[in-house]
Amino acid sequence: MRSKALRWLLFALLASAISLTILYRDHIDAGALQQWVEQAGPAAPLLFMVIYAIGTVLFLPGSVMTLAGGALFGPVLGTFYNLTGATIGAVLAFLIARFFTSNWVEQKTGGHLKRLKEGVENEGWRFVAFVRLVPLFPFNLLNYALGLTRIPLLHYLIATYLCMLPGAIAYTYLGYAGREAVAGGEGLIQKVMLALALLAVVAFLPRLIGRLRQGPTMNIDALRERLNKEDELLLLDVRTANDYQDKLGHIVGSLNIPLEELESRLAELTPYLEKPVALICTTDRRSKKAAQILGSQGFADVHVVIGGMTQWNKNALPVHTTTETSDHLREIQ
């Protein structure tokens, strides 16, 4: 009982500290923080990393800290200190979430949320790497959310440190360039342009990774062969419900999720994060858009069926023209 009471007290203190930090975050003076760190002398890097780690746990904006690190320590050392401080904070938040609530989550989670959690755990370090490179959720919140899973701590730490590097380099250099702009340093235009180029690269990462994860295209013959041989393949039809039942019909065993609903129903597809998904529509236009969505959300083996149901019908292959419930997805759930 005493241990449980102590845990609740610690949780209440942490929640209060986070609430106060969020409430007064707009009053934080970045200039005063930089001055305070500079006055620490040789201990400045260590003090900065400690502040960054605590700020991460308490939901301070990481971008502000990263810019400050670049201004204080330059592009090279600043990147190292920023990345190390952010990773320490991320690990602390991960461990705090696991200490306080992981057992409760294991007992209470069910339905779609349980399947989503299991899908993330099956992805493991790959999921951590993906969301660090392509930030789908706020950084501070994600640290706590991942602590609710059974992803190994070492995998989480390594993937976090390595995959936050591109963003850390870009924002650290931006902070450095900002300091140079204020000080009127030499080569200012080149430094600003380089900072903007680094930010552009980071901004392009989600689209690039999404394209890399789309996988190759698939023709009708290849689709038919894989449907006959491969039980794990999900055939996802992204046409509207009316088109799914229309004269072109649909393929037996396919799952119909219209493109317009795909993003809101991604939790239903979590079991297929690392399994093959074939996308089909009337031609292949909607399928290509769906592939971009799935690729950017971490699905690793996505294929666009070229020609779609139009080509399937031209090949005189069997179709159904009435809606049938797909048992394919349900079998693995």
Side-chain angles (χ1 to χ4, degrees):
M1 290 293 293
R2 184 174 298 179
S3 175
K4 187 174 182 180
L6 179 60
R7 179 175 293 199
W8 276 107
L9 176 61
L10 291 173
F11 181 79
L13 290 173
L14 176 64
S16 299
I18 291 174
S19 299
L20 288 172
T21 302
I22 293 174
L23 185 62
Y24 291 102
R25 66 195 306 175
D26 293 335
H27 299 281
I28 297 173
D29 189 341
L33 174 63
Q34 290 184 32
Q35 187 176 11
W36 186 35
V37 172
E38 286 173 341
Q39 292 173 350
L46 179 61
L47 176 62
F48 177 79
M49 288 187 287
V50 169
I51 294 173
Y52 202 134
I54 295 174
T56 299
V57 171
L58 298 181
F59 282 76
L60 276 178
S63 57
V64 174
M65 296 297 298
T66 306
L67 292 171
L72 283 166
F73 304 108
V76 179
L77 290 177
T79 297
F80 174 73
Y81 298 146
N82 280 328
L83 192 56
T84 302
T87 302
I88 292 172
V91 168
L92 287 174
F94 178 89
L95 292 174
I96 288 169
R98 182 160 290 185
F99 173 75
F100 281 120
T101 60
S102 61
N103 291 335
W104 182 86
V105 170
E106 285 292 330
Q107 296 170 6
K108 300 296 183 180
T109 303
H112 289 316
L113 190 58
K114 183 178 181 180
R115 290 194 292 272
L116 177 61
K117 179 175 175 292
E118 290 173 348
V120 170
E121 290 169 349
N122 290 334
E123 277 269 273
W125 69 268
R126 292 183 295 272
F127 182 85
V128 179
F130 179 77
V131 295
R132 294 311 189 195
L133 288 168
V134 184
L136 303 175
F137 304 101
F139 170 68
N140 295 325
L141 182 61
L142 183 66
N143 298 328
Y144 284 96
L146 290 172
L148 304 179
T149 69
R150 292 178 292 181
I151 293 175
L153 173 61
L154 183 60
H155 294 183
Y156 171 81
L157 188 156
I158 294 173
T160 292
Y161 197 91
L162 294 179
C163 295
M164 287 199 306
L165 181 59
I169 292 173
Y171 282 95
T172 300
Y173 197 91
L174 184 62
Y176 165 71
R179 186 196 69 183
E180 292 293 293
V182 172
E186 295 182 1
L188 178 59
I189 295 178
Q190 291 90 333
K191 291 173 182 176
V192 171
M193 292 300 292
L194 179 57
L196 293 175
L198 289 170
L199 287 176
V201 170
V202 172
F204 185 71
L205 272 177
R207 180 174 295 183
L208 174 63
I209 292 173
R211 288 184 179 276
L212 291 175
R213 301 205 75 171
Q214 283 178 28
T217 57
M218 182 183 299
N219 61 34
I220 294 299
D221 292 335
L223 173 63
R224 188 180 185 189
E225 182 178 348
R226 292 187 70 167
L227 287 175
N228 290 334
K229 294 181 178 179
E230 191 170 343
D231 293 335
E232 286 193 335
L233 176 71
L234 171 65
L235 178 58
L236 183 60
D237 194 316
V238 294
R239 294 175 296 165
T240 64
N242 288 336
D243 288 342
Y244 189 70
Q245 303 175 58
D246 205 1
K247 59 183 180 180
L248 287 178
H250 60 267
I251 300 170
V252 176
S254 62
L255 174 69
N256 179 223
I257 299 182
L259 176 64
E260 295 77 10
E261 301 175 15
L262 184 57
E263 290 188 83
S264 63
R265 295 175 62 180
L266 284 173
E268 299 175 35
L269 304 177
T270 301
Y272 281 94
L273 276 167
E274 289 295 325
K275 295 179 181 178
V277 179
L279 296 166
I280 195 165
C281 61
T282 302
T283 54
D284 48 46
R285 292 182 181 178
R286 293 169 68 89
S287 296
K288 290 176 180 177
K289 293 178 181 178
Q292 292 178 359
I293 293 172
L294 294 183
S296 66
Q297 296 297 319
F299 288 80
D301 193 9
V302 180
H303 306 259
V304 173
V305 179
I306 299 300
M309 289 303 299
T310 300
Q311 188 61 48
W312 183 274
N313 278 266
K314 284 182 179 179
N315 290 13
L317 297 171
V319 297
H320 278 218
T321 54
T322 57
T323 304
E324 296 182 357
T325 303
S326 173
D327 294 327
H328 193 75
L329 188 63
R330 229 182 295 138
E331 288 175 1
I332 69 163
Q333 296 176 342

